[in-house]
């Protein structure tokens, strides 16, 4: 028999009742949390239609929620403890913002009735996580909480990031206001661009001698992939993937795919040399990592930018920026521009498989990635957080379907392992594999307990080289002397995983790896239990 939920204005209806109804109305009835005492009155006794997922650290909470929301394409609800909980989640919230993932984040606070006396656990929360939330609110009255949570949902979707509401612990049991919360029941978002100017874009593309495209995470959906493929084929343009993107913006097995754009200005200028018009779709123009002198793009290159994100349009170097749905714009352009011959550059050539290591030689990341190339299902979601081997991964493993590649655009570690759990929870029918560095995995290792407890059938491939390999190489190249940090080869991730209830295996040889992946990867879609594969590898000599 379904539970009774008091109607708006009904006697005995509490603020908590009203907030749970907001979650039901928005279809966000799964809560991700690591509770503290300020959350007891909200979380205990949840109705049966509200799902709860526990993680053992707030960074893992937000990381799992971010993966879930990425897979679902809608906001996830996160509940965090006061000061320490919110602070522990800061890095994960920064990643959610940079990855443009909507989250509704409810943060606990001490009892409103004695906050003025600064009691134990009273949080000084204003500004604690900087400007990473797209919206933050501390309701003036308990009765304002349901409206604030409803608005947070709309703000998270509109702003493409986490929206925070701070709720004192006594507010949940306060009587709800008799009137409906002051927030729209539904928000319709119109396309903001003036598509009457589409003929101008058509004329620019038609007038270009040699157009080129850069695609990014904002183009990673089925409609945009189809539209962008049609447009690239129509105008005969090669398509580059943005550097450091959270997702792939174009099918990487398509003949027009040119590769991953370098993250430095010299490499960008070389890649774009000979082109006279650059069309950037769903990516910044253009995100860099190391500072390098010289122009960002060649001076004779005209730049057009199509993005759904206003802030992305405002800080680029485009001649013309279009804030609109990329699928709509690219689809219309593909129908109108004049056809051209195939791209002037051939499809990206994948490197030849590396030979298995000789007796006594170590495995390298390329050996792992060659096996993934052969065995990974085409609809797999591959999450990457292995900075030292990411370039080799990108050279060898292709994203062949939308959501085929996921990474942390913010650059901080700790996203990969928890997000993998969330991705599999949010897309249970898709195969999900993570490629993680051992250093990266340690930042979010607590999420393995959640994976085991909730029977999340993802596979975690850990490139265990016992060091921060990318930092070691950066230190070497700096010419400033020896790095002060030691290696950590004594860390046994298999033991850590098993201690958290997750099955794990240590792999040292190519034969062991080939046999294991040949057995496990074909089962990914229906797998119900997680597996951590602790792969002993030598540091890869290539990192950028």
């Amino acid at each position: 028999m379904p539970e009774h939920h008091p109607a708006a204005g009904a006697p005995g209806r509490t603020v908590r009742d009203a907030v749970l109804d907001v979650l039901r109305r928005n279809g966000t009835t799964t809560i991700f949390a690591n509770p503290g005492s300020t959350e007891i009155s909200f979380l205990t006794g949840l109705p049966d239609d509200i799902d709860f997922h526990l993680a053992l650290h707030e960074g893992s909470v937000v990381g799992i929620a971010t993966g879930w929301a990425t897979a679902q394409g809608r906001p996830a609800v996160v509940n965090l403890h006061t000061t320490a909980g919110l602070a522990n989640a800061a890095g994960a919230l920064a990643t959610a913002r940079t990855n443009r993932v909507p989250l509704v984040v409810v943060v606990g606070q001490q009892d409103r009735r004695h906050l003025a006396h600064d009691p134990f656990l009273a949080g000084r929360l204003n500004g604690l996580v900087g400007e990473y939330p797209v919206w933050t609110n501390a309701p003036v009255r308990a009765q304002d909480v349901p409206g604030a949570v409803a608005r947070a949902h709309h703000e998270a979707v509109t702003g493409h990031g986490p929206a925070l509401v701070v709720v004192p612990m006594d507010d949940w049991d306060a009587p709800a206001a008799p009137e409906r919360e002051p927030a729209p029941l539904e928000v319709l978002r119109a396309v903001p661009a003036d598509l009457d100017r589409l003929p101008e874009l058509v004329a620019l593309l038609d007038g270009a001698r040699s157009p080129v495209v850069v695609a990014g995470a904002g183009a990673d959906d089925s409609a945009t992939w189809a539209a962008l493929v049609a447009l690239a084929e129509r105008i005969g343009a090669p398509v580059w993937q943005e550097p450091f993107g959270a997702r792939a913006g174009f099918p990487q097995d398509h003949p027009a795919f040119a590769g991953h754009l370098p993250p430095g200005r010299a490499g960008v200028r070389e890649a774009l040399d000979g082109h006279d018009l650059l069309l950037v779709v769903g990516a910044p123009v253009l995100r860099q990592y190391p500072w390098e002198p010289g122009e960002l793009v060649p001076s004779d290159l005209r730049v057009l930018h199509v993005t759904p994100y206003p802030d992305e349009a405002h800080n680029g170097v485009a001649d013309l920026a279009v804030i609109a749905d990329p699928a709509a714009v690219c689809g219309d352009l593909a129908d109108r521009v004049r056809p051209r011959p195939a791209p002037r550059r051939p499809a990206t050539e994948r490197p030849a498989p590396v030979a298995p290591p000789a007796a006594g030689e170590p495995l390298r990341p390329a050996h792992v990635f060659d096996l993934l190339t052969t065995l990974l299902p085409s609809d797999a979601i591959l999450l990457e957080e292995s900075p030292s081997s990411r370039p080799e991964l990108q050279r060898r493993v292709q994203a062949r379907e939308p959501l085929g590649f996921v990474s942390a655009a913010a650059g901080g570690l700790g996203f990969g392992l928890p997000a993998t759990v969330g991705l599999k929870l949010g897309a249970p029918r898709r195969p999900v594999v993570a490629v993680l560095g051992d250093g990266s995995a340690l930042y979010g290792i607590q999420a393995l307990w959640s994976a085991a407890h909730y029977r999340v059938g993802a596979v975690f491939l850990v490139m265990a080289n016992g060091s921060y390999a990318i930092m070691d190489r950066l230190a070497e190249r700096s010419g400033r002397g020896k790095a002060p940090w030691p290696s950590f080869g004594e860390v046994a991730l298999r033991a850590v995983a098993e201690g958290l209830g997750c099955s794990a295996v240590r792999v040292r040889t190519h034969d062991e790896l080939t046999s294991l992946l040949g057995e496990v990867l074909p089962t990914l879609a229906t797998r119900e239990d997680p597996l951590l594969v602790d792969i002993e590898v030598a540091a890869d000599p290539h990192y950028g």
Side-chain angles (χ1 to χ4, degrees):
M1 181 175 179
E3 295 190 35
H4 172 68
H5 305 297
R13 179 177 165 83
T14 65
V15 165
R16 180 177 183 261
D17 293 327
V19 167
L20 293 179
D21 279 345
V22 168
L23 301 188
R24 294 183 181 104
R25 187 174 73 225
N26 291 328
T28 52
T29 54
T30 299
I31 298 172
F32 300 89
N34 179 269
S37 57
T38 54
E39 289 69 59
I40 290 293
S41 50
F42 175 46
L43 295 176
T44 53
L46 285 173
D48 290 342
D49 66 326
I50 305 295
D51 292 327
F52 180 88
H53 284 82
L54 173 68
L56 304 185
H57 184 272
E58 291 85 357
S60 294
V61 169
V62 175
I64 293 172
T66 301
W68 185 91
T70 299
Q72 290 274 312
R74 58 196 177 101
V77 176
V78 175
N79 187 213
L80 298 176
H81 189 39
T82 187
T83 313
L86 180 58
N88 282 344
L93 290 170
T95 295
R97 174 66 182 269
T98 309
N99 277 30
R100 300 189 180 277
V101 177
L103 302 176
V104 176
V105 184
V106 177
V107 182
Q109 176 61 293
Q110 244 286 6
D111 194 302
R112 187 186 292 272
R113 293 167 294 189
H114 67 164
L115 271 176
H117 302 293
D118 194 25
F120 178 66
L121 290 183
R124 299 179 183 180
L125 306 177
N126 185 34
L128 184 60
V129 291
E131 298 181 2
Y132 285 107
V134 298
W135 185 72
T136 302
N137 185 260
V140 176
R141 305 178 305 154
Q143 288 71 27
D144 298 330
V145 171
V149 173
R151 179 173 172 181
H153 180 276
H154 301 319
E155 294 280 0
V157 173
T158 303
H160 307 280
L164 270 61
V165 180
V166 177
V167 184
M169 58 194 296
D170 59 311
D171 282 8
W172 298 110
D173 293 326
E179 68 274 8
R180 188 170 63 80
E181 61 272 1
L185 294 178
E186 186 178 6
V187 174
L188 298 179
R189 295 167 178 83
V191 176
D194 180 5
L195 295 185
D196 289 341
R197 294 186 64 183
L198 200 64
E200 182 178 340
L201 299 181
V202 172
L204 289 170
L205 285 168
D206 282 348
R209 172 181 44 79
S210 178
V212 60
V213 177
V214 171
D220 186 35
D221 61 82
S222 297
T224 308
W225 272 37
L228 198 48
V229 164
L231 179 58
E233 291 176 347
R234 183 85 170 173
I235 64 176
V239 181
W240 291 87
Q241 169 70 33
E242 66 163 319
F244 302 114
R247 293 160 69 170
F250 191 81
Q252 294 172 357
D253 58 346
H254 189 277
F257 183 64
H260 296 263
L261 198 67
R265 295 187 177 206
V268 167
R269 293 194 299 271
E270 180 181 355
L272 302 181
D273 183 50
H275 297 284
D276 62 338
L277 187 141
L278 168 63
L279 174 64
V280 180
V281 180
V285 186
L286 291 159
R287 199 171 187 213
Q288 303 288 285
Y289 173 42
W291 181 86
E292 293 179 356
E295 294 179 298
L296 177 57
V297 296
S299 58
D300 57 350
L301 182 68
R302 189 156 194 178
V303 181
L304 306 182
H305 189 198
V306 179
T307 176
Y309 311 124
D311 62 314
E312 192 169 82
H314 296 155
N315 59 18
V317 297
D319 296 284
L320 175 61
V322 181
I323 302 171
D325 173 24
V329 174
C330 292
D332 283 351
L333 289 174
D335 290 338
R336 300 190 191 194
V337 296
R338 65 178 175 86
R340 297 169 181 256
R344 68 178 181 88
R345 61 187 309 135
T348 302
E349 293 186 8
R350 315 308 296 181
V354 293
E361 290 184 350
L363 282 166
R364 293 195 176 275
H367 294 117
V368 182
F369 304 151
D370 281 344
L371 289 171
L372 289 179
T373 299
T374 303
L375 299 172
L376 203 61
S378 63
D379 64 337
I381 300 173
L382 176 66
L383 186 140
E384 175 275 328
E385 192 173 68
S386 180
S388 64
S389 57
R390 180 177 185 175
E392 193 65 48
L393 172 69
Q394 291 177 331
R395 279 190 282 269
R396 295 181 180 274
V397 185
Q398 301 169 324
R400 292 173 281 176
E401 293 192 15
L403 200 62
F405 174 81
V406 179
S407 189
L413 301 182
F415 168 76
L417 200 156
T420 302
V421 178
L423 284 163
K424 186 61 176 178
L425 284 170
R429 294 179 179 84
R430 287 189 67 172
V432 178
V433 167
V435 173
L436 310 168
D438 48 357
S440 301
L442 288 168
Y443 278 78
I445 199 71
Q446 301 93 337
L448 287 177
W449 178 88
S450 300
H453 182 82
Y454 295 107
R455 301 194 67 190
V456 177
V459 171
F460 307 89
L461 304 179
V462 179
M463 308 288 103
N465 55 39
S467 66
Y468 293 127
I470 191 168
M471 293 299 298
D472 292 342
R473 296 200 192 103
L474 289 172
E476 290 171 7
R477 293 192 177 190
S478 73
R480 295 174 179 269
K482 183 180 178 181
W485 50 85
S487 61
F488 45 88
E490 63 271 29
V491 173
L493 281 175
R494 175 181 177 179
V496 175
E498 290 175 341
L500 290 166
C502 179
S503 297
V505 61
R506 178 77 168 180
V507 171
R508 293 181 173 85
T509 71
H510 193 266
D511 287 344
E512 290 174 342
L513 182 64
T514 302
S515 175
L516 178 68
L517 295 186
E519 177 185 347
V520 170
L521 294 186
T523 71
L524 283 174
T526 57
R527 188 179 182 87
E528 294 185 350
D529 293 308
L531 175 67
L532 182 137
V533 184
D534 190 10
I535 308 172
E536 188 175 303
V537 298
D540 198 288
H542 307 291
Y543 73 92

